[in-house]
Amino acid sequence: MVKLLKSKDRRGFAILYDRYSGALYGVILKVVRVEEIAQDVLQDSFVKIWKKVQHYDSTKGTLFTWILNIARNTAIDKTRSKAYKQQINVLDIDKGATVMASNQDNKSKIDYIGVDKEVAKLKPEYQQVIDYIYFKGYTHSEAAEALELPLGTVKTRVRMAIKELRKLT
Amino acid sequence: MDIQAYISSGIIENYVLGATTSEESAEVERLADEYPEIQQEIEANKHALLAYVLEFEQEPPAHIRDKVLDKLDQLAQEDNITGDLDDAATIEREIAQIQQNPVRRLFPFKTYLIAASFVLLVASISANVYFYSKWNETRDDLRSALLDRQVMASQLKVKETKEAEMGEELALMKSPRVASVKLTAVKGKPICSAKIYWDTNSKFVYIDASDLPEPPKNKQYQLWYIDGENVVDAGVFDMGNKAGKLQKLKLVPNAQAFAVTLERYGGVPKSEGDMYTFGKMASMVDNQN
């Protein structure tokens, strides 16, 4: 598989897409929160995978972890761009104005919102730190500030969150 | 070095979450090479995080696949890709060159023996190269097969959980001790409805809110029950992805009717917002199905 990708074979990338696009798209969507932006980021991620696959080193981790990190980093970079912040603002205003006015095409509006699937098993305060640290790429102190928590609490929760996840798997 | 202290310092969790600096990451990787316990800890944490990440899995719209692959085709044309240098043909050509040169120079003396040993050496090297690359390929395939299995197991788990949830919902809806009430839109509100399931045994009330419009961000719907003269809070509920599921709300000891209003996020003790839907309980006899 890796060899097929390194030779930039189209079939290799088609297989890669078929196997992992769902997982990558889920992560990207979790980060950027808007479907149409997520679709662009998914494409950008595959372009990056295509360009960087020569440097992939299978001794340092699995292919899946590697492409997942590319997708996540591409998505996080996107959320830091000016264009993204503007787009998000426009969509938010849009949503507030139209959702209450009509429920006719309620379903299509949900596309813009529907990101947070239920992950009932992990406690909300743990989901929150993973959201900020892993999906949004915040540092501990940025997360502490955003959540209005002491830095020490954030650090403890990160540790506990992973511990909980290990119990759940 | 105290490995246990290092493991419990939290650095490995942060490494797995990608929250370490590049110096810290390098240190973790170096120690992982040295201490199997640390390597194990990393693997276990990665595995757990991966399973969590996979819970968010969502298929992109079908047309994106072509868009992405077309884009890669376009890049391939721009770069005029001819394939990896390490591919089989190149290796064979190189081997052929090695075989030609030294043999010709050593020919024709009593050096047959040397020539033969060179040929053997080259054959052995090329066999090594060949088997090494085969071995690498097999190892990669095995890794990706193992990973696929892990991915599939996680997917299955998610599906099983969903199925179990649906089974529970269905059982609740069909239970003879559960009364259902349809709340319909009140005058002046958009067409919407909600369905209440009230377990007459446990007295818990559940709501199916899939036909309510999505509220603004700072607002939340709240359910009320009417018992005689009293209008009592029966809890707030979420929309978005949760709207389609039955949500368990508060205990309702006795009620003749239910109503849904839109309130401040988190709910209020006494209704302040607009009423959206309302429905009366049928008599208990009618509720036996």
Side-chain angles (χ1 to χ4, degrees):
Chain A
M1 179 70 195
V2 174
K3 202 166 176 191
L4 210 55
L5 294 178
K6 288 202 177 188
S7 67
K8 307 228 161 155
D9 186 290
R10 187 185 204 271
R11 286 163 303 168
F13 280 89
I15 294 170
L16 190 74
Y17 186 94
D18 293 340
R19 276 196 199 164
Y20 301 126
S21 61
L24 300 189
Y25 190 62
V27 168
I28 293 169
L29 202 52
K30 182 95 174 108
V31 178
V32 303
R33 310 187 69 85
V34 179
E35 295 234 18
E36 52 193 12
I37 299 177
Q39 289 158 14
D40 289 345
V41 173
L42 183 68
Q43 173 164 337
D44 293 348
S45 306
F46 270 93
V47 168
K48 277 193 193 161
I49 294 167
W50 195 86
K51 285 184 173 164
K52 290 184 173 176
V53 71
Q54 300 293 1
H55 309 297
Y56 165 66
D57 176 0
S58 62
T59 59
K60 287 202 168 167
T62 61
L63 181 64
F64 180 56
T65 318
W66 187 73
I67 62 174
L68 193 66
N69 275 332
I70 288 187
R72 184 174 61 96
N73 288 332
T74 310
I76 291 172
D77 287 347
K78 184 80 179 182
T79 60
R80 290 175 182 160
S81 74
K82 220 173 174 180
Y84 173 82
K85 286 172 185 158
Q86 281 168 355
Q87 207 169 348
I88 280 291
N89 273 336
V90 171
L91 285 171
D92 269 358
I93 294 161
D94 246 7
K95 199 177 84 192
T98 51
V99 165
M100 287 311 289
S102 86
N103 67 335
Q104 291 292 322
D105 53 358
N106 209 351
K107 290 279 183 274
S108 68
K109 289 290 183 302
I110 287 175
D111 282 352
Y112 292 110
I113 315 157
V115 185
D116 278 330
K117 288 193 187 170
E118 190 177 27
V119 192
K121 289 178 287 181
L122 191 63
K123 284 189 192 158
E125 68 254 40
Y126 295 155
Q127 285 186 35
Q128 212 174 30
V129 289
I130 292 194
D131 266 11
Y132 276 90
I133 305 283
Y134 181 75
F135 289 112
K136 293 189 183 171
Y138 279 38
T139 62
H140 284 147
S141 24
E142 285 165 349
E145 201 173 310
L147 293 166
E148 294 178 346
L149 287 171
L151 185 58
T153 310
V154 170
K155 288 188 172 170
T156 314
R157 283 194 188 170
V158 167
R159 251 200 345 265
M160 295 306 292
I162 299 282
K163 207 175 251 176
E164 276 303 300
L165 283 178
R166 279 175 64 168
K167 276 190 214 152
L168 293 171
T169 43
Chain B
M1 168 170 184
D2 186 347
I3 299 168
Q4 280 317 313
Y6 187 76
I7 287 174
S8 55
S9 72
I11 187 143
I12 293 174
E13 286 85 344
N14 285 310
Y15 169 73
V16 168
L17 287 167
T20 40
T21 63
S22 50
E23 293 88 39
E24 286 170 333
S25 302
E27 188 196 41
V28 173
E29 281 161 17
R30 187 177 58 79
L31 289 170
D33 278 343
E34 206 170 325
Y35 301 99
E37 295 99 311
I38 292 178
Q39 182 64 39
Q40 260 171 25
E41 194 69 13
I42 293 174
E43 290 302 323
N45 287 348
K46 263 191 192 168
H47 181 94
L49 182 66
L50 224 53
Y52 177 69
V53 166
L54 283 171
E55 291 187 41
F56 298 99
E57 186 169 31
Q58 186 171 332
E59 290 306 321
H63 68 272
I64 301 295
R65 185 180 190 273
D66 285 342
K67 217 178 126 195
V68 169
L69 292 176
D70 287 350
K71 176 78 189 173
L72 297 183
D73 276 349
Q74 189 193 326
L75 285 174
Q77 272 167 16
E78 280 168 17
D79 286 16
N80 198 11
I81 289 298
T82 49
D84 191 353
L85 278 177
D86 287 333
D87 69 356
T90 320
I91 292 173
E92 272 160 26
R93 219 177 311 133
E94 294 222 8
I95 291 169
Q97 265 174 7
I98 298 169
Q99 277 173 332
Q100 274 178 3
N101 294 336
V103 175
R104 207 182 289 153
R105 229 176 278 150
L106 291 166
F107 211 72
F109 237 39
K110 56 175 181 177
T111 47
Y112 276 123
L113 210 59
I114 304 175
S117 74
F118 249 101
V119 171
L120 279 178
L121 178 64
V122 166
S124 152
I125 288 174
S126 50
N128 278 341
V129 168
Y130 175 75
F131 286 120
Y132 179 73
S133 81
K134 273 282 174 212
W135 175 71
N136 261 339
E137 221 172 276
T138 312
R139 194 188 50 180
D140 285 342
D141 284 349
L142 180 64
R143 269 171 200 258
S144 91
L146 285 175
L147 183 73
D148 273 349
R149 199 180 62 176
Q150 187 183 328
V151 169
M152 273 190 261
S154 300
Q155 285 169 336
L156 187 66
K157 211 166 156 191
V158 171
K159 292 216 168 86
E160 276 172 354
T161 316
K162 275 189 194 146
E163 217 164 87
E165 276 173 9
M166 282 168 73
E168 280 166 25
E169 287 187 359
L170 195 64
L172 189 82
M173 287 174 182
K174 289 177 90 172
S175 164
R177 56 185 168 78
V178 173
S180 68
V181 193
K182 186 168 179 173
L183 311 189
T184 50
V186 300
K187 220 173 157 188
K189 291 296 167 203
I191 301 163
C192 58
S193 66
K195 196 134 192 209
I196 300 292
Y197 295 89
W198 182 32
D199 188 330
T200 54
N201 230 2
S202 72
K203 300 292 184 188
F204 272 109
V205 69
Y206 300 78
I207 189 162
D208 169 2
S210 51
D211 286 326
L212 287 173
E214 197 62 31
K217 245 186 197 155
N218 53 349
K219 300 266 185 176
Q220 209 173 11
Y221 289 117
Q222 188 165 3
L223 181 70
W224 306 86
Y225 68 87
I226 292 106
D227 180 18
E229 298 284 286
N230 301 321
V231 180
V232 192
D233 163 42
V236 291
F237 51 91
D238 293 320
M239 296 297 290
N241 280 314
K242 289 195 183 165
K245 300 191 174 186
L246 278 191
Q247 299 183 60
K248 190 176 183 182
L249 303 179
K250 294 188 176 172
L251 272 175
V252 173
N254 202 17
Q256 291 88 50
F258 289 93
V260 170
T261 64
L262 189 63
E263 305 291 353
R264 284 203 307 267
Y265 195 88
V268 290
K270 238 182 156 159
S271 174
E272 299 165 356
D274 286 2
M275 192 195 292
Y276 273 71
T277 62
F278 178 81
K280 279 186 191 162
M281 293 285 297
S283 72
M284 290 309 284
V285 182
D286 291 338
N287 289 323
Q288 292 304 310
N289 50 10

